[in-house]
């Protein structure tokens, strides 16, 4: 009998506790993706609670992204885009920086893609409760697997567009996607502005330019530390940035993937895309157009220099994949007149510098190049996460604004160094972007304008 009473008493207590429990519903709004040198990470989750909370204590909440619990650092009221707003109707959960599974929403593979399902869940820690509108809540109902249908990132600062033009080597057209960063202050100043062009690597092709902008931290080009190295005609700080994306790989040719033995399918349409951009943006200084890219995009940088001599004020090919064996002596003499700063790591096993940038650089110096430089690093040491990266990731030095020196101009052996890549300050400039900003064509062929 006593045991029955005990069971009934416990059951009554459970019923009473359940009756007093309240579940607060929250609706997922957006997530914010931060881009780092070797990964992306969701570090902010924005939700809308059905009622406003009395106290915002990060220690009582749990947030899971992609099935992994994250450490909640801060909770604050905000608008529907995560911007702080006193008494706002939305809540932002700031998460501790993380990498790898649970944080990176960019799916791996040959071509980059956002994860189709990226579950996000907000809850309460065991035994914790919150108060809102005079009620006590012991649970939160807030889960979704489609948060990435609406996400925030630095890519939002880029205007999106497409351009269609003739293919190279075969009939038909090709369509490129692009993202253009055009600061309003520069657009309205009535002065000419420098233009930085970036061409993506193999894993960032497709039709979503946010993949290119965030896959290799291209968004770093619009951050203050890099933008501050550039000056406009009017003396203001800053530059336009144009990131162009092809649907597959820049190295694709009519014969398959090439390393300079055949023209890229996108050679003509890319040049036409750039020309069109200049036509649409007459405030771009045609004497100060700078082009660069990594790996597959480094290949295309070299390809564009070879096909369009004297058009670009400077180039910064990074771990470039245009084989030296496919560059003739005549082309070397042509390239020797260009302003080029190579960047690569000696331990790059994806694009062996011994077959690509190193022999090309030596031949250029032998051909009398005066303004060709090489930041040759031993390996790639990251700054964001403090870890050693793959040797192919030398673009991390570019976007971390850490290319600060060059090798000696020599036809002999190069001596890789992680001290900025060498000991020489090209033309007296102590930074890749400061050097780039100083390069200006003496003359250019005017771009034909369409009616």
């Amino acid at each position: 009998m006593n045991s029955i009473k005990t069971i009934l008493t416990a059951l009554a207590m459970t019923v009473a506790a359940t009756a007093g429990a309240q579940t607060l519903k929250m609706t997922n709004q957006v997530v914010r993706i931060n881009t780092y040198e070797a990964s992306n990470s969701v570090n902010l989750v924005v939700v809308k609670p059905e009622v406003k909370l009395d106290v915002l204590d990060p220690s009582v909440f749990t947030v899971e992204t992609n099935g992994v619990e994250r450490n909640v650092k801060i909770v604050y009221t905000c608008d529907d885009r995560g911007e702080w707003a006193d008494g706002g109707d939305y809540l932002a959960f700031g998460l501790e920086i993380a990498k790898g599974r649970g944080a990176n929403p960019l799916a791996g593979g040959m071509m980059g893609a956002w994860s189709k399902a990226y579950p996000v869940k907000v809850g309460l820690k065991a035994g914790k409760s919150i108060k809102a509108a005079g009620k006590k809540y012991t649970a939160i109902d807030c889960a979704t697997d489609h948060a990435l249908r609406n996400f925030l990132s630095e890519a939002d600062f880029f205007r999106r567009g497409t351009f269609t033009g003739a293919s190279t080597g075969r009939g038909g057209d090709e369509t490129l996607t692009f993202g253009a960063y055009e600061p309003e202050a520069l657009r309205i100043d009535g002065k000419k502005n420098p233009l930085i062009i970036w061409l993506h690597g193999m894993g960032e092709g497709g039709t979503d330019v946010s993949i290119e902008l965030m896959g290799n931290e291209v968004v770093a080009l619009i951050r203050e530390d890099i933008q501050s190295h550039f000056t406009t005609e009017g003396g203001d700080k800053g530059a336009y940035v144009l990131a162009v994306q092809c649907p597959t790989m820049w190295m694709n040719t009519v014969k398959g993937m090439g390393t300079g033995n055949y023209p890229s399918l996108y050679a003509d349409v890319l040049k036409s895309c750039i020309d069109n951009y200049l036509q649409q943006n007459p405030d771009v200084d045609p004497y100060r157009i700078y082009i660069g890219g990594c790996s597959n995009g480094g290949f295309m940088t070299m390809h564009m220099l070879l096909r369009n001599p004297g058009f670009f004020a400077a180039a910064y090919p990074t771990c470039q994949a245009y084989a030296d064996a496919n560059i003739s002596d005549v082309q070397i003499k042509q390239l020797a007149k260009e302003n080029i700063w190579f960047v690569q790591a000696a331990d790059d096993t994806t694009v062996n510098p011994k077959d690509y940038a190193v022999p090309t650089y030596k031949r250029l110096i032998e051909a009398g190049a005066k303004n060709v430089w090489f930041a040759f690093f031993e390996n790639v040491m990251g700054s964001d996460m403090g870890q050693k990266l793959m040797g192919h990731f030398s673009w991390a030095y570019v976007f971390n604004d850490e290319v600060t020196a060059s090798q000696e101009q020599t036809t002999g052996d190069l001596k890789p160094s992680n001290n900025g890549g060498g000991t020489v300050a090209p033309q007296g400039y102590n930074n890749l972007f400061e050097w780039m900003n100083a390069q200006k064509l003496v003359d250019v062929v005017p771009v034909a304008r369409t009616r």
Side-chain angles (χ1 to χ4, degrees), residues 80-302:
D80 62 348
R81 306 298 283 173
E83 296 298 323
W84 181 87
D86 190 14
D89 294 329
Y90 300 83
L91 290 181
F93 293 87
L95 311 177
E96 187 174 14
I97 295 175
K99 60 182 179 178
R101 181 177 176 269
N104 193 349
L106 195 60
M110 203 64 173
M111 306 299 290
W114 295 114
S115 300
K116 292 182 179 179
Y118 189 85
V120 175
K121 182 179 180 180
V122 177
L124 287 175
K125 290 184 178 179
K128 299 293 184 179
S129 63
I130 52 177
K131 292 183 178 180
K135 296 181 180 179
K136 180 180 179 180
Y137 294 89
T138 56
I140 292 176
D141 178 9
C142 183
T144 181
D145 61 352
H146 296 299
L148 284 181
R149 288 182 177 176
N150 189 9
F151 65 91
L152 308 168
S153 73
E154 289 172 286
D156 295 342
F157 292 103
F158 287 76
R159 176 176 62 85
R160 315 294 179 88
T162 61
F163 180 84
T164 300
S167 176
T168 301
R170 71 181 182 191
D173 291 337
E174 301 288 350
T175 297
L176 305 179
T177 307
F178 66 82
Y181 174 71
E182 300 149 346
E184 184 64 20
L186 302 190
R187 289 194 66 85
I188 65 176
D189 67 359
K191 303 295 183 179
K192 295 291 186 180
N193 303 301
L195 173 64
I196 308 168
I197 297 173
W198 179 262
L199 307 176
H200 61 82
M202 182 178 294
E204 293 78 50
T207 57
D208 181 353
V209 75
S210 66
I211 301 289
E212 173 177 12
L213 294 171
M214 301 173 67
N216 292 132
E217 205 180 8
V218 179
V219 290
L221 292 174
I222 73 171
R223 295 174 186 164
E224 177 63 23
D225 52 349
I226 291 179
Q227 284 281 307
S228 66
H229 293 306
F230 291 88
T231 54
T232 70
E233 180 188 42
D236 293 329
K237 295 291 186 181
Y240 285 0
V241 178
L242 180 65
V244 189
Q245 181 187 42
C246 72
T248 57
M249 294 173 285
W250 297 113
M251 299 167 73
N252 273 2
T253 77
V254 291
K255 298 290 186 178
M257 193 171 78
T259 58
N261 44 345
Y262 296 99
S264 165
L265 292 175
Y266 307 107
D268 291 329
V269 67
L270 176 57
K271 180 57 166 57
S272 296
C273 178
I274 296 170
D275 289 343
N276 183 71
Y277 185 80
L278 299 182
Q279 294 166 4
Q280 300 298 319
N281 297 273
D283 59 328
V284 170
D285 188 344
Y287 293 86
R288 299 180 64 204
I289 302 173
Y290 312 115
I291 189 168
C294 63
S295 189
N296 162 66
F299 156 87
M300 199 60 176
T301 299
M302 299 296 292

Side-chain angles (χ1 to χ4, degrees), residues 215-411:
N216 292 132
E217 205 180 8
V218 179
V219 290
L221 292 174
I222 73 171
R223 295 174 186 164
E224 177 63 23
D225 52 349
I226 291 179
Q227 284 281 307
S228 66
H229 293 306
F230 291 88
T231 54
T232 70
E233 180 188 42
D236 293 329
K237 295 291 186 181
Y240 285 0
V241 178
L242 180 65
V244 189
Q245 181 187 42
C246 72
T248 57
M249 294 173 285
W250 297 113
M251 299 167 73
N252 273 2
T253 77
V254 291
K255 298 290 186 178
M257 193 171 78
T259 58
N261 44 345
Y262 296 99
S264 165
L265 292 175
Y266 307 107
D268 291 329
V269 67
L270 176 57
K271 180 57 166 57
S272 296
C273 178
I274 296 170
D275 289 343
N276 183 71
Y277 185 80
L278 299 182
Q279 294 166 4
Q280 300 298 319
N281 297 273
D283 59 328
V284 170
D285 188 344
Y287 293 86
R288 299 180 64 204
I289 302 173
Y290 312 115
I291 189 168
C294 63
S295 189
N296 162 66
F299 156 87
M300 199 60 176
T301 299
M302 299 296 292
H303 198 37
M304 294 300 286
L305 290 176
L306 288 166
R307 291 177 68 90
N308 305 280
F311 181 83
F312 300 100
Y316 56 117
T318 305
C319 53
Q320 69 91 8
Y322 200 110
D324 180 71
N326 292 322
I327 303 177
S328 69
D329 290 340
V330 172
Q331 289 175 318
I332 284 291
K333 291 180 179 179
Q334 171 193 316
L335 285 174
K337 300 175 184 178
E338 304 283 350
N339 305 320
I340 308 172
W341 191 326
F342 295 93
V343 180
Q344 193 163 17
D347 66 342
D348 188 338
T349 57
T350 303
V351 176
N352 190 334
K354 295 180 180 179
D355 298 322
Y356 293 83
V358 169
T360 298
Y361 174 71
K362 290 181 179 180
R363 291 171 67 196
L364 288 170
I365 298 304
E366 186 175 14
K370 301 299 182 184
N371 200 13
V372 173
W373 311 93
F374 199 145
F376 197 33
F377 294 88
E378 293 179 56
N379 46 48
V380 183
M381 295 301 300
S383 296
D384 292 337
M385 303 294 182
Q387 81 276 38
K388 184 178 179 181
L389 305 176
M390 287 180 57
H392 191 49
F393 285 23
S394 50
W395 57 80
Y397 285 121
V398 174
F399 295 135
N400 285 337
D401 198 16
E402 295 176 339
V403 180
T404 58
S406 167
Q407 296 285 305
E408 295 280 351
Q409 291 184 321
T410 177
T411 58

